[in-house]
Amino acid sequence: MPLRNRLSLAILLILLVVLLTIVFAPFAVSNGLRLWIWWAARQEGFVASIDKVDASFLRPVVIRQLHLKSVRDNAFRVDLTATDASVGLNFKHVLLHMRGRIIRNLSIRELRVELHRTNPNLRAITRRGWATLQRLLPENLSIANSEVRVENGPTLILLRRGVLSASETEAGRFSASEVMIASPWLRQTFSQLRGATHWETNRLTLGGLTLSRGLDLQSATADFSRLGKQRVGLQFEVDVFGGKIRGNISDEWRSQHSNWKIAGGASDISLGQTSDAFGFADRVDGLLHAANFTFRGNLAEPDRVTASLWSELTGLTWRNRTAEAIMLGAAVYNRKIQLQQLYIRQRSNQFTLSGEADFPTNSSGWLSPDFRGNISASINQLGDFVALFGANPGDFAGKITIEGAMDTRDRKFGGRLAIEGASLTFFKTEIDSLAAKVNLKGTELEIEQLEIKRRNDSLSGQGKIDMSGDHNYSGTLDARADNLLDYFSSVRRATGKSADRIPVDVQATINSSNWDAHGVVRVLDSNPISFTANFPLRIGTDWNAFQLSPLNVTVDFPSIFLAKAPQLFHPAIFQDGILSGSVSLSETLQHPRITGDVQLVNGKLSGDGWTSFNLVEASSRIAFAGNRASVEFFNVATKDVDLLLRGEILFDDPNDVTVRMSAATPIFDLTSSQIDCVNKIQIAPAVLPLAPAVAEFEFHGGVFQSGWTVALQEDAGSQSLAISDPDGAARKLLLCLGTSPEEKTLTLGALPRAETNVEATRSKGQKKRR
């Protein structure tokens, strides 16, 4: 065949191939792309559905809608929808399998992505899949509208109406109407974000982004250049409230667990601006002067974790808490946490703690760490120092030094602590000096020395406390107070500075949480008041349990001259008289057994202590026998009337006490109006009135409770003109002594004493002569 014919045939064949390519290329490209997406998704455990693919010759491929969803309902779920995705393919790299990008341009009109991850150790796709994703990274990217939702355990990230354009040849842009981050540690929402982007060598840089007032993202670079090798990185620099934060984060997940590398630093961040920006209820002032943090490893593999932290806070102020400097340095390596230093400086106060602890193997281990360390403190203003921990600075004052070491290895406490203080105030109680030595030995806390002095008062003791089991404790206690009233502020204020002193001495021996105590209270010009007590008191015992515990208490007071000791009672009840007796209490407070007697002779009553009565004198003797007591006599007097009473007291249960009293002379109910409660009881002279005679009084209530009642039982033979129960039953009234501003008086009448009668008769005679 001639050369001309051969050349013509070749040209014809080429034209035919070109023609066939033009005709069948759209069909081949669209179906080939559809088949490849379906096959690649299936290899990674996803289902891909494509609505329609438009593939014009030498023009970008347009996928009208692509839906990608996880097949396995496991701990990692993906749901992606892309609408109107335009893909500009590089056929040279696709057909010849050359290195480089296979996508020139990728433009998506609308993108919706949902990612749910509950297991951090679960792999989303295979290593081949990550390599494929890296090859699919385009030269130019444009997303007109995006909605992204990412859930990783308790952390949620939302992006709404996001716009992104990135190119290797020119600057792009990023905007979002809202970005929300919600986690156990942070909840924040950023609105109307706008910034610039740059895309180069598989690194996306976002910069010039104002997140909120005082918080600007200068630059953040996401590195996808090693995505195929299952590694990504992030570098960022943020201007934060007058300071800066720089960080570098990378994650490599080629092995079973991710390997994180984190390094960051901060400087000169204003805590005041931070508290205003986050809306703290209480303003915090100060400066995060410097901080550095590093981390490498995975928390799932604590043997391989290494980390370090160093930070310095200056000028910290929060509420009424201040500190000039707080420094913290710590490191983690070889399953050890080393506290290099926790240093607090506050004016003339300094506190230092250092030590080492084993890295906990589970979450409960953080509550009982295995810690060994040293403590050193020199505190010259105790009130300011305790304010850092929330205490009221006005309740504390003085100087105190602390030196010691502690060890909690194998959950057994060990170590020593020496405390010395001078001119102290604890809870507004002044203490001249304090000295204590405490030793921790395994499960036993030993108080080697405890000495507290306040003027002429002192408290000393020693003992041991079992930190395991029932927490039994043993030891001795010796206390002396020059004036008992100094420790009862309300009584001290009422009596004034001129009140006589009441010294007290108490000694106690404790054996396995059982107290054996005895003491003496000395009242001026009176015989000493002595007491002994024996009772169990375990750590953690509440009042209800203590009421059910057995106890034995004995109090002897041979003679107390009340004129010299009115301050024993508050408010002051007696101005004169002699109080004597001996009382023993046994069994329990819930069901007590009391034996002994109490006698009051020539008691002169104070009006301040008896505002609800008009009594001026009283004498009595009460004999206790088990769960009842006999009131052998109870003689009281007003200015005009003498009353002779006797009765009994039933107290099997302190919450159900009954007191019955009857009079040797007639008593009349002179109350002429109906009242719902009684806040005052008055005894007035009466000469055989036409009023009901009261045969018996019965008081009923609880010792430590309000709501007492009084019942008046009328004499069956009396004729009543006053208000009474129509059925003849006892008249029952509620006692509300001192609680109601309105005067509700129960008036009782009694025969006037003889001299009062004579004076009344003389007065009537003088009136008649006139």
Side-chain angles (χ1 to χ4, degrees):
M1 181 180 293
L3 181 60
R4 175 185 286 182
N5 293 338
R6 291 180 181 179
L7 184 59
S8 300
L9 180 60
I11 294 173
L12 182 62
L13 289 174
I14 292 172
L15 293 175
L16 181 60
V17 170
V18 172
L19 180 61
L20 291 174
T21 301
I22 294 173
V23 173
F24 292 102
F27 176 79
V29 171
S30 62
N31 285 279
L33 183 59
R34 185 190 297 270
L35 181 62
W36 182 85
I37 293 176
W38 173 84
W39 175 82
R42 184 178 180 183
Q43 293 296 314
E44 302 300 330
F46 298 97
V47 171
S49 60
I50 301 175
D51 185 19
K52 184 180 179 182
V53 179
D54 294 335
S56 302
F57 183 68
L58 299 180
R59 295 182 63 86
V61 179
V62 178
I63 302 175
R64 295 304 176 186
Q65 188 177 70
L66 170 64
H67 186 203
L68 189 67
K69 189 174 182 180
S70 303
V71 174
R72 297 182 295 269
D73 188 14
N74 51 22
F76 185 84
R77 300 190 304 275
V78 177
D79 193 337
L80 181 148
T81 302
T83 304
D84 292 340
S86 176
V87 183
L89 296 173
N90 190 335
F91 287 100
K92 180 176 68 174
H93 293 279
V94 174
L95 298 176
L96 300 179
H97 295 281
M98 297 176 61
R99 289 190 176 186
R101 303 184 188 275
I102 63 175
I103 298 179
R104 288 195 178 96
N105 302 295
L106 176 60
S107 175
I108 303 174
R109 182 175 64 84
E110 186 174 350
L111 177 66
R112 295 182 179 274
V113 181
E114 290 190 15
L115 302 176
H116 300 265
R117 186 180 186 182
T118 57
N119 185 359
N121 297 322
L122 185 68
R123 294 292 168 255
I125 59 178
T126 64
R127 183 174 181 180
R128 180 195 297 177
W130 290 113
T132 302
L133 281 179
Q134 182 170 357
R135 291 203 67 195
L136 291 177
L137 294 176
E139 295 180 5
N140 301 293
L141 174 64
S142 176
I143 302 175
N145 184 22
S146 62
E147 302 282 338
V148 180
R149 179 186 181 93
V150 179
E151 293 186 30
N152 188 2
T155 301
L156 171 65
I157 300 176
L158 290 178
L159 182 145
R160 293 190 174 95
R161 291 189 292 278
V163 177
L164 174 66
S165 64
S167 173
E168 292 187 343
T169 58
E170 59 182 11
R173 67 186 183 93
F174 167 81
S175 66
S177 62
E178 183 180 77
V179 174
M180 185 183 76
I181 302 174
S183 70
W185 307 103
L186 176 65
R187 295 185 63 89
Q188 189 60 263
T189 299
F190 305 103
S191 303
Q192 305 303 322
L193 302 181
R194 286 177 175 79
T197 64
H198 180 66
W199 176 249
E200 184 179 6
T201 61
N202 290 337
R203 291 178 175 86
L204 177 63
T205 301
L206 177 63
L209 194 66
T210 299
L211 301 177
S212 63
R213 185 178 179 181
L215 187 61
D216 299 317
L217 179 65
Q218 294 297 328
S219 66
T221 301
D223 186 0
F224 302 107
S225 61
R226 297 185 181 180
L227 186 62
K229 295 183 179 181
Q230 297 176 256
R231 180 178 179 180
V232 294
L234 175 67
Q235 295 180 354
F236 61 89
E237 180 178 341
V238 186
D239 289 343
V240 181
F241 308 119
K244 287 185 178 296
I245 295 179
R246 297 180 178 88
N248 191 338
I249 304 174
S250 66
D251 182 22
E252 183 177 346
W253 59 95
R254 298 177 63 179
S255 60
Q256 183 180 359
H257 298 292
S258 298
N259 185 24
W260 290 86
K261 295 181 181 179
I262 303 174
S267 61
D268 298 330
I269 298 177
S270 170
L271 300 182
Q273 296 181 36
T274 303
S275 65
D276 292 340
F278 286 96
F280 292 165
D282 297 303
R283 179 179 173 85
V284 180
D285 285 318
L287 191 70
L288 177 59
H289 181 62
N292 290 305
F293 175 75
T294 63
F295 177 88
R296 181 170 184 172
N298 190 300
L299 290 178
E301 298 176 332
D303 293 338
R304 301 174 57 187
V305 168
T306 60
S308 65
L309 170 67
W310 182 84
S311 63
E312 179 182 356
L313 294 174
T314 59
L316 176 65
T317 301
W318 176 41
R319 295 182 180 175
N320 59 342
R321 309 172 188 182
T322 60
E324 275 69 33
I326 298 178
M327 299 181 186
L328 174 64
V332 177
Y333 60 93
N334 294 334
R335 297 184 65 88
K336 301 287 185 181
I337 301 176
Q338 183 180 15
L339 180 61
Q340 298 164 343
Q341 184 186 60
L342 171 60
Y343 173 74
I344 301 176
R345 179 167 58 84
Q346 182 195 52
R347 298 177 185 173
S348 58
N349 299 330
Q350 296 187 48
F351 175 85
T352 303
L353 174 66
S354 61
E356 184 179 79
D358 290 337
F359 196 88
T361 57
N362 50 48
S363 58
S364 61
W366 292 99
L367 301 178
S368 56
D370 187 356
F371 180 77
R372 300 166 297 280
N374 298 313
I375 301 173
S376 176
S378 176
I379 301 170
N380 295 318
Q381 295 177 346
L382 183 60
D384 293 338
F385 187 76
V386 297
L388 282 175
F389 307 95
N392 184 2
D395 294 343
F396 300 87
K399 301 179 180 180
I400 191 168
T401 60
I402 302 173
E403 293 288 341
M406 60 182 301
D407 186 348
T408 62
R409 185 176 302 176
D410 299 327
R411 297 188 178 181
K412 295 180 180 180
F413 287 92
R416 56 181 176 77
L417 202 64
I419 304 172
E420 293 186 1
S423 303
L424 296 170
T425 298
F426 284 115
F427 299 104
K428 297 183 179 180
T429 300
E430 296 180 357
I431 297 175
D432 295 335
S433 65
L434 166 67
K437 292 182 180 180
V438 180
N439 297 322
L440 298 169
K441 300 179 180 179
T443 60
E444 185 179 78
L445 172 65
E446 178 186 10
I447 302 175
E448 181 180 335
Q449 175 190 4
L450 175 63
E451 293 185 1
I452 301 175
K453 294 183 179 180
R454 177 180 182 268
R455 300 174 187 170
N456 296 325
D457 302 348
S458 64
L459 173 67
S460 62
Q462 58 83 32
K464 298 179 180 180
I465 302 175
D466 185 5
M467 304 299 290
S468 64
D470 296 332
H471 301 293
N472 287 328
Y473 60 99
S474 303
T476 60
L477 196 67
D478 192 345
R480 184 185 187 282
D482 197 47
N483 187 4
L484 181 63
L485 300 181
D486 288 344
Y487 299 92
F488 297 91
S489 58
S490 60
V491 177
R492 185 169 64 246
R493 287 193 298 267
T495 57
K497 296 182 179 180
S498 61
D500 294 326
R501 295 182 301 106
I502 302 179
V504 58
D505 289 280
V506 179
Q507 294 81 38
T509 301
I510 306 102
N511 186 11
S512 296
S513 303
N514 287 296
W515 286 64
D516 188 1
H518 62 277
V520 176
V521 180
R522 294 179 175 83
V523 180
L524 184 65
D525 294 338
S526 301
N527 291 329
I529 304 172
S530 62
F531 63 90
T532 62
N534 187 283
F535 54 90
L537 183 61
R538 298 188 180 276
I539 295 176
T541 300
D542 58 12
W543 173 246
N544 293 329
F546 184 72
Q547 290 186 92
L548 300 175
S549 301
L551 78 164
N552 288 281
V553 178
T554 300
V555 182
D556 292 317
F557 41 103
S559 59
I560 302 175
F561 292 90
L562 300 177
K564 299 294 184 179
Q567 62 269 33
L568 278 177
F569 305 94
H570 179 68
I573 298 176
F574 298 100
Q575 291 181 336
D576 200 357
I578 300 175
L579 183 67
S580 62
S582 177
V583 177
S584 295
L585 185 151
S586 60
E587 296 187 5
T588 67
L589 290 176
Q590 186 69 40
H591 298 286
R593 179 178 178 81
I594 304 177
T595 59
D597 64 272
V598 177
Q599 183 167 326
L600 173 65
V601 179
N602 296 328
K604 304 297 182 182
L605 304 181
S606 168
D608 295 338
W610 292 81
T611 56
S612 298
F613 303 87
N614 61 338
L615 302 178
V616 295
E617 296 181 5
S619 296
S620 178
R621 187 178 190 278
I622 303 175
F624 295 90
N627 59 0
R628 61 188 301 148
S630 174
V631 183
E632 298 179 357
F633 66 89
F634 183 51
N635 302 338
V636 296
T638 68
K639 293 180 180 180
D640 305 314
V641 175
D642 291 327
L643 286 181
L644 307 179
L645 304 171
R646 63 192 306 273
E648 63 176 353
I649 305 173
L650 306 178
F651 50 87
D652 183 62
D653 185 350
N655 297 320
D656 186 16
V657 178
T658 301
V659 181
R660 296 192 182 100
M661 304 294 293
S662 59
T665 57
I667 297 178
F668 307 98
D669 184 0
L670 302 182
T671 306
S672 59
S673 61
Q674 186 69 42
I675 54 178
D676 55 352
C677 73
V678 175
N679 63 4
K680 194 172 184 179
I681 299 177
Q682 295 289 324
I683 300 176
V687 182
L688 299 178
L690 296 176
V694 179
E696 183 181 75
F697 298 90
E698 181 176 292
F699 296 88
H700 186 81
V703 175
F704 303 105
Q705 299 175 359
S706 58
W708 278 69
T709 61
V710 56
L712 283 67
Q713 182 66 53
E714 297 180 4
D715 190 349
S718 67
Q719 296 181 354
S720 174
L721 295 180
I723 300 174
S724 61
D725 193 307
D727 297 330
R731 185 182 182 190
K732 192 173 183 180
L733 299 171
L734 179 67
L735 287 178
C736 52
L737 301 178
T739 60
S740 176
E742 181 184 355
E743 186 172 309
K744 299 179 180 180
T745 305
L746 174 63
T747 304
L748 302 177
L751 298 177
R753 65 170 64 97
E755 58 268 25
T756 304
N757 242 342
V758 172
E759 291 178 0
T761 303
R762 289 176 179 175
S763 178
K764 290 180 180 179
Q766 291 175 358
K767 289 181 179 179
K768 288 180 179 180
R769 284 193 296 271
R770 291 175 183 175

